[in-house]
Amino acid sequence: MAEQHSEVDRFFVREQMVEAMPPPGVRRGAGDWFRRNLFSSVPNGIMTILALLFLAWSIPPLIQWAFIDAVWEGTNREACLGPDVGACWAFVKAKFGQFIYGRYPIGERWRVDLVFLLLAAGLVPMAIPSAPYKALNALFLLVIFPVAAFILLTGGFGLRVVPTEFWGGLLVTLVVAITGIVVSFPLGILLALGRRSKMPAVRLLSIAFIELWRGVPLITVLFMSSVMLPFFLPDGVSFDKLLRALIGVAFFSSAYMAEVVRGGLQAIPKGQYEAAAAMGLGYWPMMYLIILPQALKLVIPGIVNTFIGLFKDTSLVLIIGLFDLLGIVQFNFTDSNWATPQTAATGFAFAALVFWIFCFGMSRYSMFIERRLETGHKH
Amino acid sequence: MSTQEGASAVAEEQARIAEEVRAMAAKDQPAIEMIDVHKWYGEFHVLRDINLRVKAGERIVVCGPSGSGKSTLIRCINRLEEHQRGRIIVDGIELSDDLKRIDEIRREVGMVFQHFNLFPHLTILENCTLAPVWVRKMPKRQAEEIAMEYLTRVKIPEQAHKYPGQLSGGQQQRVAIARSLCMSPKIMLFDEPTSALDPEMIKEVLDVMVDLAQSGMTMVCVTHEMGFARQVADRVIFMDAGQVIEQNVPAEFFENPQHERTKLFLSQILH
Ligand SMILES: Nc1ncnc2c1ncn2[C@@H]1O[C@H](COP(=O)(O)OP(=O)(O)OP(=O)(O)O)[C@@H](O)[C@H]1O
Ligand SMILES: [Mg+2]
C-alpha cells in the first residue's frame, strides 16, 4: 500500500497559509426552505404529504363549525337551533360572567377584576428578564399580592364578605392552580433536599411525606378532606372547603415537585459540591448559589410538566362541590334555556381553549427561559 | 483607577499573607500537621499511619502510583474526606466534627481539582467573586477588582465575562486557581491539576503554579510533573498503599531514591 502513495502524499509542508474566510452564504428563499425542511428525503416527503392530507381533511370542517356556521349573537336557545348550526358562541357569551367568576355577586366582581389586574401587573414584569426591580417585584408578588388578593376576594375591612361557596369558574381554577404552584415549588425543593439530607429524621420525614401524598390519587385526597376531615374536627368547627382543596392540591403537587427536583439534584456532579464546600460555603449558601440553580435549570421541563398537570387537575375539585372553569361550564349545560345540540360541544371547546392557552403559555415561557439560561456548558 | 485599587488590594493581601507566614514560622507553628492519621473506606484501609508536618511557606509535592491514597490524603486536609484515627491540625485548628471550625479552615485553604470544578452557570468573574462575597462578606466591587487582578495574574483577564463552558481546559484550570486565590488562602492544595489537560496546556497551568510557589504560598501538590517538583518543591513525598514510603528534598529524592518501590516508581515515570 505504502509504495502506491505518491511523493506528495507522504511528504507535505504547507507553504501557503489559508486565511480565515466567512462561512459559505446561507441560502434563503421559500423554495429552499421547503426542500430542506419538508422534502429532504423520500420518507420525509411522504410524511409531509400525509400530514398535509390530514390537515386538509380536518381543518376545513373545524373552521366551518367554529366560525362559518357558528352563532355569535342570541339571548337563548332559539338562536342555536337549526339543522346546519355550528358552534353556539352565543351561549358562551351569555354565560361568560359565570365562567369567569362563578356565583360571585355581580356587584362585587370588580374585586376579582382588580385581583386579576394586580396579578398581571406583578407577573408580567417578573417574567421579563430585563425588567428592573426584581427583588421589589418578587416582594410584591409573594407577600403584598397574596394578602391583597385574600382581602379583596374574601372581604372584610369594609368590603362585603363573599364566602368561598360563591366563588367559581376561572377564578377558582386560578386560585387553586396558583396557590398550588406557589406552595409546591418551594415546598418541593425543601422536600427534595430533605430526602437527600444526612440527618436521618429529616430524611425519614421527607420520604414519608412524599410517598404518602404521591401514593394516593388526588381524588381520594379531595374526598377524604371533605368526607373524613369533619369526623376528626369537633362539632361546629368547619374548615373552608376551598381551603381544604388548596391544601390538598398544594401538598399533592409538592410531592411530585420534590421528586422532579431530586432528579435534578442527582444529576449535579459531586465535584460541584466539593468545590463549593472547599471554599467554605455552608450548606444553605451552597444549595442556593451553586447546586439549586443548576439542578432546577436541568429539570425545567419536569417542573413545567408538574405545573401543567396541576393546572389541569384543578378540575377535580368538582367532586367536592367546587366549580372550577370546567365544572361551571358543565353545570350550565343543564340550563334549559340553552339546551341545544351544540351547547355541550361549544362549552367544552371554550373550556379546552382556555386551559390550552394557559398551559401552552407556561410551556413556551419555560422554553424561553431554558434558552436564556444556556451557558454553553457541555457535559 | 479601579485596577490600581485592585492591585494595591492584592499587594496588601500578599503583604498580609507574608506577615502571617512569618508569624507562624516564628511561633514554629506548622501550617499543616498530621499525626498518626488513619482512614478506612469500609473495610479498606486507605490511609495508614500518616505523619506529616508542613511548615508555613513550604512547598510539598506528593506522588505515587494510582490508588495509593494521594487524593484521599490531601482531601483529608480540608475535610472533604473524614479521617478516623489520629489528628489533623490545619492553621492551628484541629479538624473535628465541629462544622464551624471546618468552614473556618476551608476559608483559609484553597483547593484546585483535577477536573477544575468551575461553576458552569456562573461567569468566570462570578466564579471568582462568589466566595469572597458570600464567605468573606467582601463588597462586590472590591471582590471584582481583586478577581480581575488574579485573572490578570493567570493571564486571562479578557475571559472574565465568558462562561466556563466556553474556555479551554487549560484556561479553566487557571480560572480555578485564580478563584481559589481570590479567597487569599494561607494554604493551597492541588490534586493533579494538570492530569486532565492536553500537553500544550499543562505548561500554562504549571507556569501559574511556579509563579505562585515563588510568591511564598504554602502548597501541597499531588502531581506527576517531576519537572515542577524539581523546580519548586521543598520536599517530595512518595506514597504507596496508603502510606508514606519515602520523603526527601527533590535533588536527593530523584538522584538517590532509597526504597525499592520508589526506585521502581521513578524508573516507570521517568522512563
Ligand atoms: N469513596 C470511596 N469509597 C471506597 N473506596 C474509595 C473511595 N475513594 C477512593 N477509594 C479507594 O481508595 C484508594 C485511594 O484512592 P485515591 O483517590 O486517594 O488514590 P490516588 O492516589 O489519588 O489515585 P489516582 O492517582 O488514581 O488519583 C483507591 O484504591 C480507591 O479505589
Ligand atoms: Mg487522585
Side-chain angles (χ1 to χ4, degrees), chain A residues 270, chain B residues 39-42 44-47 63-75 81 114 191-192 195 222 224 239 242:
Chain A
K270 200 162 139 252
Chain B
K39 174 172 176 62
W40 289 260
Y41 283 123
F44 179 56
H45 199 170
V46 56
L47 289 184
C63 60
S66 180
S68 56
K70 309 177 298 289
S71 298
T72 311
L73 170 81
I74 128 169
R75 290 156 59 85
E81 303 287 353
Q114 181 174 3
D191 190 359
E192 305 206 32
S195 53
V222 175
H224 292 143
M239 283 184 75

Side-chain angles (χ1 to χ4, degrees), chain A residues 233-310:
Chain A
L233 291 173
D235 277 343
V237 175
S238 76
F239 218 111
D240 187 274
K241 221 197 277 181
L242 181 65
L243 185 60
R244 287 192 311 235
L246 283 178
I247 295 173
V249 169
F251 283 4
F252 186 79
S253 34
S254 298
Y256 275 88
M257 187 61 69
E259 289 301 281
V260 171
V261 173
R262 192 164 69 94
L265 291 174
Q266 272 170 347
I268 303 301
K270 200 162 139 252
Q272 293 288 310
Y273 291 88
E274 290 177 349
M279 294 177 160
L281 281 180
Y283 178 82
W284 289 108
M286 180 197 301
M287 290 302 151
Y288 171 71
L289 296 165
I290 310 295
I291 305 302
L292 282 174
Q294 296 183 60
L296 293 179
K297 183 189 133 188
L298 277 178
V299 294
I300 287 176
I303 292 174
V304 176
N305 217 11
T306 311
F307 284 168
I308 288 178
L310 187 163

Side-chain angles (χ1 to χ4, degrees), chain A residues 270-283 285 288-291 293-294 297 374-378, chain B residues 75 78 80-81 103 106-107 109-111 113 117-122 127 130-131 134-135 163 165-166 179 183:
Chain A
K270 200 162 139 252
Q272 293 288 310
Y273 291 88
E274 290 177 349
M279 294 177 160
L281 281 180
Y283 178 82
Y288 171 71
L289 296 165
I290 310 295
I291 305 302
Q294 296 183 60
K297 183 189 133 188
E374 184 55 57
T375 60
H377 178 61
K378 358 181 217 311
Chain B
R75 290 156 59 85
N78 63 354
L80 288 182
E81 303 287 353
D103 278 341
R106 285 174 174 172
R107 249 172 268 164
V109 179
M111 184 157 202
F113 300 86
N117 295 352
L118 295 179
F119 305 130
H121 62 300
L122 300 176
N127 263 279
L130 186 121
W134 287 86
V135 179
Y163 286 96
Q166 298 164 321
R179 175 175 76 175
M183 282 291 279

Side-chain angles (χ1 to χ4, degrees), chain B residues 53-194:
Chain B
R53 265 172 87 98
V54 181
K55 284 182 292 208
E58 206 178 2
R59 281 135 335 203
I60 308 280
V61 163
V62 181
C63 60
S66 180
S68 56
K70 309 177 298 289
S71 298
T72 311
L73 170 81
I74 128 169
R75 290 156 59 85
C76 278
I77 295 174
N78 63 354
R79 195 67 162 198
L80 288 182
E81 303 287 353
E82 209 171 308
H83 63 287
Q84 284 132 341
R85 244 181 71 183
R87 300 172 64 194
I88 301 180
I89 301 152
V90 180
D91 189 27
I93 303 173
E94 174 152 11
L95 286 172
S96 63
D97 289 331
D98 187 346
L99 290 176
K100 267 231 182 66
R101 314 231 64 190
I102 289 172
D103 278 341
E104 236 167 83
I105 289 173
R106 285 174 174 172
R107 249 172 268 164
E108 309 301 335
V109 179
M111 184 157 202
V112 176
F113 300 86
Q114 181 174 3
H115 296 286
F116 332 135
N117 295 352
L118 295 179
F119 305 130
H121 62 300
L122 300 176
T123 63
I124 300 308
L125 189 62
E126 287 165 342
N127 263 279
C128 292
T129 56
L130 186 121
V133 169
W134 287 86
V135 179
R136 290 236 191 267
K137 314 289 177 209
M138 191 185 282
K140 190 159 168 251
R141 279 285 304 279
Q142 190 191 348
E144 282 178 355
E145 276 160 20
I146 291 176
M148 283 315 292
E149 198 52 43
Y150 280 116
L151 286 175
T152 311
R153 203 162 136 192
V154 301
K155 303 191 185 63
I156 32 178
E158 71 283 356
Q159 313 284 3
H161 296 284
K162 288 194 182 164
Y163 286 96
Q166 298 164 321
L167 266 54
S168 75
Q171 290 173 327
Q172 289 193 46
Q173 194 59 298
R174 284 184 283 155
V175 171
I177 295 174
R179 175 175 76 175
S180 291
L181 292 178
C182 284
M183 282 291 279
S184 25
K186 293 179 185 160
I187 300 165
M188 285 285 285
L189 308 175
F190 293 83
D191 190 359
E192 305 206 32
T194 56

